[in-house]
Amino acid sequence: MILGRVTGQIWSSRKLDTMPSAALLQVETDTGAMIVALDTIGCGTGEKVLVTTGSVAAAQFPDIRAPIDALIIASIDEDLALWRQRQVKQRGPQSLNRRNLFPTTLRNKE
């Protein structure tokens, strides 16, 4: 999976019949590379996204032979590093002990 940020839309007036109906978005990865990814979840310019590539992306469309190499699978609401920084600022460094390294939604329930 690849983290990136949507930098714009790609417009196409003609496409293959096997191409799913969805937006094509230009995504700049965290490494600075630019890719084009299919967006079925409705992301916008400036949004941080998670992209999957290769056969996994195409496998999301089992009824057709989709010519998809990159697919946006999630919109990132909050970066974990930013969450940790905010925890330290609000509660102090002891708030990041072993038990509290991750938000409750990311921890396994015991």
Side-chain angles (χ1 to χ4, degrees), residues 2-5 27-35:
I2 300 168
L3 283 174
R5 187 168 303 276
V27 177
E28 182 176 1
T29 69
D30 282 356
T31 63
M34 296 298 253
I35 60 174

Side-chain angles (χ1 to χ4, degrees), residues 3-103:
L3 283 174
R5 187 168 303 276
V6 176
T7 57
Q9 294 183 338
I10 306 293
W11 297 96
S12 174
S13 58
R14 293 184 284 176
K15 63 180 184 173
L16 294 173
D17 292 338
T18 56
M19 186 77 164
S21 294
L24 292 171
L25 299 181
Q26 181 175 324
V27 177
E28 182 176 1
T29 69
D30 282 356
T31 63
M34 296 298 253
I35 60 174
V36 175
L38 188 72
D39 174 32
T40 60
I41 60 176
C43 295
T45 302
E47 250 181 280
K48 193 160 189 179
V49 294
L50 187 61
V51 178
T52 190
T53 58
S55 61
V56 174
Q60 297 305 308
F61 305 96
D63 298 337
I64 57 175
R65 288 183 51 100
I68 306 299
D69 184 51
L71 176 68
I72 295 174
I73 58 171
S75 173
I76 306 298
D77 296 325
E78 183 174 11
D79 192 303
L80 186 57
L82 294 175
W83 179 86
R84 289 179 180 164
Q85 288 174 359
R86 199 168 54 252
Q87 290 297 307
V88 169
K89 186 175 181 180
Q90 291 174 354
R91 301 180 185 176
Q94 70 280 2
S95 66
L96 294 182
N97 65 31
R98 186 174 166 269
R99 173 107 169 102
N100 294 321
L101 282 178
F102 298 102

